[in-house]
Amino acid sequence: MSLINIPLPSTAVIREVGLRDGLQSIQTILPSEHKRAWVQAAHAAGVREIEIGSFVPKRLLPQLADTAELVAYARTLPELFVSALVPNLRGAENAIASGVDLMIVPLSASHAHSLANLRKTPDEVVAEVARIRAARDAAGAKTLIEGGVGTAFGCTLQGEVEPDEVLRLMQALLDAGADRVSLADTVGYAGPAAVSRLFERAVAIAGEQFWCGHFHDTRGLGLANVYAAMQAGVTRFDACLGGIGGCPHAPGASGNVTTEDLAFMLESMGVGTGLDIGQLLSLRERLSDWLRGETLHGTLWRAGLPKTFHPHSSQAAQSAILA
Amino acid sequence: MSLINIPLPSTAVIREVGLRDGLQSIQTILPSEHKRAWVQAAHAAGVREIEIGSFVPKRLLPQLADTAELVAYARTLPELFVSALVPNLRGAENAIASGVDLMIVPLSASHAHSLANLRKTPDEVVAEVARIRAARDAAGAKTLIEGGVGTAFGCTLQGEVEPDEVLRLMQALLDAGADRVSLADTVGYAGPAAVSRLFERAVAIAGEQFWCGHFHDTRGLGLANVYAAMQAGVTRFDACLGGIGGCPHAPGASGNVTTEDLAFMLESMGVGTGLDIGQLLSLRERLSDWLRGETLHGTLWRAGLPKTFHPHSSQAAQSAILA
């Protein structure tokens, strides 16, 4: 067996989701001022896609109550593609009104998880996506719709989730009018072999509409899973600065894949990310100050970049800073 | 590109190296009593290969001063294959006398690192391996000789290390009489693409004599690197319980790949390890008590095993416990 010629992509996109998936899972409510500083510094470090918050009722997620305001700020930064999560039609209407570039509708492939968290069956979420698509089109808005299939590798309530069911729901989201689809290992159950198998099938089904891989590092396999997904043809990954987040039901559990570690892995393989890792590490230090008392994750920050490290994106990041 | 049919091995060996590579890098001197308890519990959890210490002068590594005594203890446990590190001919003579199954001779492919740490050039180490081989054969001993090529992906002193030089030295070790060869990313500089490239070439050269992949998780890529090496055909990996170790020159840096996280990754892919992960997690807790004040690493311990986890090795581990 020779895999020496596995073609890795020349570039990949890291979508920073710390402001949404990270902050919604921790206790501290980060003031808007610090969120804006985070967005600004991330942009200066080369981040060009960001999930900035969630259009949910403020009483449910006070941590993300300033989402609309943050979208408005993020839109002032050049070339920044801004996403937000929307749980339903009402959230989507608010998202469209905010001028966000893309709205992510989460669907949980685990029926038990879906009922517990969204109070809808997965197929009811698909129907909601059809309504969101109709509303988007009626408004003449350009806001893209991403259907994100979560608990794609199992869930803490239901246990096993069948890959066939995951892919059926992904196809149903496309049929309902989602412009993009993604798969998420919401609870950190996936290993790289399962990722290879499922993502290959997903990419074969959705083609260019397959948008993003979303991995949690709950059990340490986040980066190995990204590598496996990349071999399956995926070139966009969600990540959180400092690996913040986790799960309210698993104290101390890690959150998403760590942005700076992922950027290092990709750049070390010659996969350009456009990110300046030194700047990301500096921003991580500021985040660590802002979130004193919260646990940050990741590994690169302890040892720093290797002496041999030649970033493939330094030029891009430099231009970004000067822009 | 379809990689869906990448044949993963049905089994892989995790060699526990925490008692050597882990303990030599931290301040605490673990009493022999605790080391024996560690070896015993690891064996009960299914560990069948262990690197137990180092035959170096006691004044250099007081943490490992009881290596010969530990070898004697480990040899009483059924089916346990016992390794120790030897830096030179004198160490090898002591190792042979101890009855260890395999001795690992470290060679640093970085000339600067080799001179600083071993006070020999890499080729002088190759010559020492030839002397060790002659001594082993003269003694009529069965002790296997493993030549371990370290800093195979760069080093903190020299920076870049050429892959051609790594492979030249690996071949030279075989020519000098090493029974086995291994590659080590001593300082955590490797990423999965570089691992794929170098390990494919190494396996092609050494065939069945290629023995082990040794990765440090210094920058978070340890498990992704293992996955890449496994795709290149490697089926034996060094790991430390609790990810202990690190580098005296990089405070807080992680040590080797974490045994329990690696076992989880392999088992989750259907690659049998013979290890009972629950028992490894319990042992990790004891180690955490023994090494109070030292930083342990790894991720699985926080969240525990997934609800969907079906160990492929439970039967083997059960038999081991009952044996």
Side-chain angles (χ1 to χ4, degrees):
Chain A
M1 152 183 65
S2 177
L3 296 171
I4 206 161
N5 292 316
I6 290 177
L8 288 172
S10 59
T11 61
V13 174
I14 298 179
R15 177 166 63 181
E16 174 62 48
V17 301
L19 288 132
R20 201 280 298 170
D21 204 354
L23 292 181
Q24 80 167 41
S25 312
I26 61 180
Q27 291 299 314
T28 307
I29 298 183
L30 196 64
S32 300
E33 174 196 348
H34 290 159
K35 290 187 186 180
R36 283 193 301 273
W38 180 350
V39 174
Q40 194 277 329
H43 181 261
V47 169
R48 288 296 173 268
E49 297 200 17
I50 198 159
E51 188 186 14
I52 208 130
S54 192
F55 284 97
V56 292
K58 297 184 182 189
R59 64 181 167 77
L60 292 182
L61 276 179
Q63 300 98 315
L64 308 184
D66 53 358
T67 294
E69 173 191 328
L70 273 177
V71 172
Y73 172 69
R75 290 183 68 205
T76 67
L77 297 170
E79 295 175 36
L80 185 58
F81 187 84
V82 185
S83 309
L85 191 137
V86 304
N88 51 30
L89 179 60
R90 179 173 302 184
E93 287 165 348
N94 292 333
I96 292 167
S98 79
V100 81
D101 296 299
L102 178 144
M103 47 193 172
I104 302 158
V105 188
L107 176 152
S108 191
S110 154
H111 288 234
H113 189 268
S114 186
L115 289 171
N117 283 268
L118 304 167
R119 289 186 217 156
K120 289 182 186 133
T121 66
D123 289 288
E124 284 167 352
V125 174
V126 170
E128 191 78 357
V129 166
R131 284 187 285 273
I132 291 171
R133 172 62 187 257
R136 192 271 308 264
D137 291 351
K142 290 183 188 162
T143 325
L144 290 170
I145 301 165
E146 174 178 340
V149 183
T151 62
F153 295 89
C155 107
T156 47
L157 299 171
Q158 175 176 317
E160 304 279 356
V161 172
E162 287 304 319
D164 285 348
E165 175 65 355
V166 172
L167 296 172
R168 178 188 75 78
L169 289 163
M170 190 188 79
Q171 181 65 61
L173 285 167
L174 290 168
D175 295 342
D179 305 294
R180 308 274 186 263
V181 285
S182 296
L183 294 181
D185 177 25
T186 312
V187 294
Y189 272 21
V195 168
S196 281
R197 284 193 296 270
L198 188 62
F199 276 70
E200 290 230 358
R201 293 177 66 192
V203 170
I205 291 168
E208 296 283 306
Q209 290 183 283
F210 192 90
W211 196 238
C212 197
H214 180 104
F215 298 104
H216 281 252
D217 196 41
T218 320
R219 291 169 181 84
L221 308 191
L223 291 183
N225 289 339
V226 166
Y227 182 59
M230 189 175 302
Q231 291 182 327
V234 179
T235 57
R236 180 178 278 95
F237 300 97
D238 285 347
C240 278
L241 190 72
I244 60 165
C247 173
H249 310 296
S254 310
N256 292 77
V257 163
T258 300
T259 302
E260 59 274 19
D261 289 14
L262 174 55
F264 169 60
M265 182 174 85
L266 297 181
E267 293 283 333
S268 78
M269 297 195 290
V271 178
T273 61
L275 297 171
D276 181 310
I277 298 175
Q279 288 191 53
L280 291 177
L281 291 170
S282 302
L283 178 54
R284 184 192 198 279
E285 278 184 47
R286 294 171 70 189
L287 186 65
S288 171
D289 277 345
W290 295 334
L291 298 179
R292 207 160 290 172
E294 302 285 355
T295 306
L296 271 65
H297 301 281
T299 302
L300 178 68
W301 69 276
R302 291 199 212 94
L305 288 166
K307 194 171 188 169
T308 52
F309 183 69
H310 302 302
H312 289 256
S313 300
S314 56
Q315 196 120 29
Q318 285 303 320
S319 339
I321 299 159
L322 299 172
Chain B
M1 149 185 64
S2 177
L3 297 171
I4 207 162
N5 293 316
I6 290 177
L8 288 172
S10 59
T11 61
V13 175
I14 298 179
R15 176 165 66 180
E16 175 61 48
V17 302
L19 289 132
R20 200 279 300 168
D21 205 354
L23 292 181
Q24 80 167 40
S25 311
I26 62 180
Q27 290 299 314
T28 307
I29 297 183
L30 196 64
S32 300
E33 174 196 348
H34 289 159
K35 290 187 187 181
R36 283 193 302 272
W38 179 353
V39 174
Q40 194 279 328
H43 180 261
V47 169
R48 288 296 173 269
E49 298 200 16
I50 198 160
E51 187 186 14
I52 207 131
S54 193
F55 285 96
V56 292
K58 298 185 183 190
R59 63 180 168 79
L60 291 184
L61 277 179
Q63 300 99 314
L64 308 184
D66 53 0
T67 294
E69 174 191 328
L70 273 177
V71 172
Y73 171 69
R75 290 184 66 206
T76 66
L77 298 171
E79 296 174 36
L80 186 59
F81 188 85
V82 185
S83 309
L85 190 138
V86 303
N88 50 31
L89 179 60
R90 179 174 302 185
E93 287 165 347
N94 292 333
I96 292 168
S98 78
V100 80
D101 296 299
L102 179 144
M103 49 193 170
I104 302 157
V105 188
L107 175 153
S108 191
S110 154
H111 288 234
H113 189 269
S114 185
L115 289 171
N117 282 268
L118 305 166
R119 287 184 217 160
K120 287 181 189 136
T121 65
D123 290 287
E124 284 167 353
V125 174
V126 170
E128 191 79 356
V129 166
R131 285 188 284 272
I132 290 171
R133 172 62 186 256
R136 191 271 311 264
D137 292 350
K142 290 182 189 163
T143 325
L144 290 170
I145 301 164
E146 173 180 340
V149 183
T151 61
F153 295 89
C155 107
T156 46
L157 299 172
Q158 176 175 316
E160 305 279 357
V161 173
E162 286 303 318
D164 285 349
E165 175 66 355
V166 172
L167 297 172
R168 177 188 76 79
L169 290 163
M170 191 188 78
Q171 181 65 61
L173 285 168
L174 291 168
D175 295 342
D179 305 293
R180 308 274 186 261
V181 285
S182 298
L183 294 182
D185 177 25
T186 311
V187 293
Y189 272 21
V195 169
S196 282
R197 285 192 296 269
L198 188 61
F199 277 69
E200 290 229 358
R201 292 178 66 191
V203 170
I205 290 168
E208 297 283 304
Q209 289 182 284
F210 193 89
W211 196 237
C212 197
H214 179 103
F215 297 104
H216 281 251
D217 196 40
T218 319
R219 291 171 180 83
L221 308 190
L223 292 182
N225 289 339
V226 166
Y227 181 60
M230 189 175 302
Q231 291 182 327
V234 179
T235 58
R236 180 177 278 99
F237 301 97
D238 285 347
C240 279
L241 190 72
I244 61 166
C247 173
H249 309 296
S254 311
N256 291 77
V257 164
T258 300
T259 302
E260 60 274 20
D261 288 14
L262 174 56
F264 168 61
M265 183 174 86
L266 297 181
E267 292 283 333
S268 78
M269 296 196 291
V271 178
T273 62
L275 297 171
D276 181 311
I277 298 175
Q279 288 191 53
L280 290 177
L281 290 171
S282 302
L283 178 53
R284 184 193 197 280
E285 278 184 45
R286 294 171 69 189
L287 186 65
S288 172
D289 276 345
W290 296 334
L291 297 179
R292 206 159 290 175
E294 301 285 357
T295 306
L296 271 64
H297 300 281
T299 303
L300 179 68
W301 69 277
R302 291 200 211 94
L305 288 165
K307 194 171 188 171
T308 52
F309 183 70
H310 302 303
H312 290 256
S313 301
S314 55
Q315 197 120 28
Q318 284 302 320
S319 339
I321 298 159
L322 300 170

